[in-house]
Amino acid sequence: MKRLDGFNVQEREDASSISETNDKLPGKWVLNIHPSKGYVPINLRDLWNYRELLYFLIWRDIKVRYKQTALGVVWAILQPFLTMVAFSIFLGHLAGVPSEGVPYPIFTFTALLPWQLFAQAFIHSGNSLVANQHLITKVYFPRLVIPIAAVLGGLVDFAIAFVVLLGMLIYFGIMPTVAILTLPLFILLALATALAVGLWLSALNVEYRDVRHLTPFLVQFWLFVTPVAYPSSLIPKEWQVWYSLNPMTGVIEGFRMALLGKTEWLSSSILVSTIVVALLLISGLAYFRRMEKTFADVV
């Protein structure tokens, strides 16, 4: 017996015991598939075996995102850039929001890149299972592939917009320090945060379609409580620990530390956010795997 993703599968070479219905199956292998019970561990080998499906889903999502658009991938630059311009005019110039001694446009654009990566992955992964119900109900494959593909698809937009960020660093005369070597860690933290939330929402969305209406509100609310347009130093010290429970706080502070040299190395908020992300991801994986066996029947 071997275990496939979400199911117990029994293989046997016993053609004589095949029922009349099973005689119509090709070959001599009989697969008995039973729904799993209790906690189901993650089958990494199964995910690796379906890596080509993961590549295909990522490529398909990117093509569909910009199909029949006049500007194509330019939207990956325009969205964070125009948001930065609006923040700079209304918050940086008119409201006088501080920016820790660096020009406000580069201060907020450095935070907008990981935020866009997180927000897009959040929205797409949360609705990914329902959007791919035609696949889920017809063929077997590890369902984890779907939300993972939705999260990784945002890396292309991030890479394109990151080129603009490098140009802005040169324009404002800001030279990154050796701290830039930590940037990949914070990109992974942003992806892990998006995947953790996406796993919860995608599994819940299969049963409760309220999630589809809740997601846009959550993204707007989350942006307000994340230090994208303002520094986290504005938060009173007695609230800092509670504020750090927002996992995106650590991601944004990490990006500013890596690119602008701001924020102390491994500040308490980054550590707290990393712990919260780890707990969210572990619990999200456990809930997704537990509910996975019902997706094809409920979606």
Side-chain angles (χ1 to χ4, degrees):
M1 176 183 292
K2 71 175 184 178
R3 181 181 296 279
L4 287 183
D5 198 21
F7 302 94
N8 295 326
V9 180
Q10 191 174 42
E11 295 183 356
R12 54 181 176 165
E13 191 174 1
D14 185 10
S16 60
S17 63
I18 300 176
S19 66
E20 183 178 350
T21 301
N22 287 339
D23 286 337
K24 299 177 182 178
L25 293 175
K28 54 185 178 181
W29 290 97
V30 177
L31 301 180
N32 295 325
I33 302 178
H34 308 281
S36 58
K37 297 180 180 179
Y39 171 74
V40 182
I42 300 172
N43 193 333
L44 295 178
R45 176 180 293 181
D46 215 17
L47 281 175
W48 175 253
N49 291 337
Y50 282 87
R51 61 188 180 281
E52 291 186 3
L53 175 62
L54 177 64
Y55 303 151
F56 169 77
L57 292 177
I58 294 173
W59 177 243
R60 184 205 61 178
D61 290 345
I62 295 172
K63 287 183 64 178
V64 169
R65 189 181 310 161
Y66 297 114
K67 187 178 182 181
Q68 293 183 325
T69 59
L71 299 180
V73 295
V74 177
W75 284 111
I77 299 173
L78 284 181
Q79 290 178 356
F81 187 80
L82 294 179
T83 306
M84 178 270 293
V85 171
F87 282 174
S88 299
I89 294 174
F90 292 100
L91 298 178
H93 181 66
L94 297 180
V97 174
S99 55
E100 297 183 339
V102 298
Y104 188 85
I106 193 71
F107 175 80
T108 190
F109 196 75
T110 304
L112 277 170
L113 289 196
W115 173 257
Q116 290 282 344
L117 176 64
F118 166 75
Q120 293 296 325
F122 184 179
I123 294 171
H124 293 139
S125 61
N127 195 47
S128 58
L129 290 177
V130 174
N132 289 281
Q133 57 180 291
H134 59 287
L135 285 177
I136 295 174
T137 55
K138 289 181 179 176
V139 296
Y140 167 78
F141 62 93
R143 308 316 192 200
L144 271 174
V145 168
I146 292 179
I148 291 176
V151 171
L152 295 182
L155 281 175
V156 176
D157 290 358
F158 175 83
I160 295 171
F162 192 78
V163 176
V164 177
L165 175 62
L166 293 178
M168 290 180 66
L169 288 173
I170 296 173
Y171 177 79
F172 286 104
I174 298 175
M175 182 63 67
T177 64
V178 69
I180 197 173
L181 297 177
T182 63
L183 188 62
L185 298 177
F186 295 109
I187 295 175
L188 286 176
L189 187 60
L191 292 173
T193 305
L195 180 61
V197 180
L199 288 173
W200 273 104
L201 292 184
S202 59
L204 287 171
N205 195 27
V206 171
E207 189 168 1
Y208 306 104
R209 299 301 164 85
D210 308 70
V211 173
R212 180 176 52 188
H213 304 284
L214 179 64
T215 300
F217 168 74
L218 275 180
V219 172
Q220 292 181 6
F221 178 79
W222 210 318
L223 174 62
F224 182 75
V225 299
T226 300
V228 173
Y230 56 88
S232 57
S233 57
L234 286 181
I235 306 299
K237 286 188 177 180
E238 58 269 24
W239 295 359
Q240 288 283 346
V241 175
W242 297 104
Y243 188 68
S244 301
L245 293 178
N246 172 9
M248 284 305 294
T249 298
V251 173
I252 299 298
E253 289 199 349
F255 264 72
R256 283 178 177 149
M257 180 199 71
L259 294 169
L260 305 178
K262 299 297 176 185
T263 308
E264 295 181 1
W265 169 253
L266 287 181
S267 68
S268 59
S269 61
I270 296 177
L271 291 176
V272 172
S273 297
T274 303
I275 295 172
V276 172
V277 170
L279 294 176
L280 273 177
L281 187 58
I282 293 172
S283 60
L285 284 169
Y287 180 72
F288 189 96
R289 294 286 292 164
R290 184 176 181 83
M291 301 302 295
E292 187 175 7
K293 58 179 178 283
T294 67
F295 289 163
D297 297 324
V298 179
V299 71

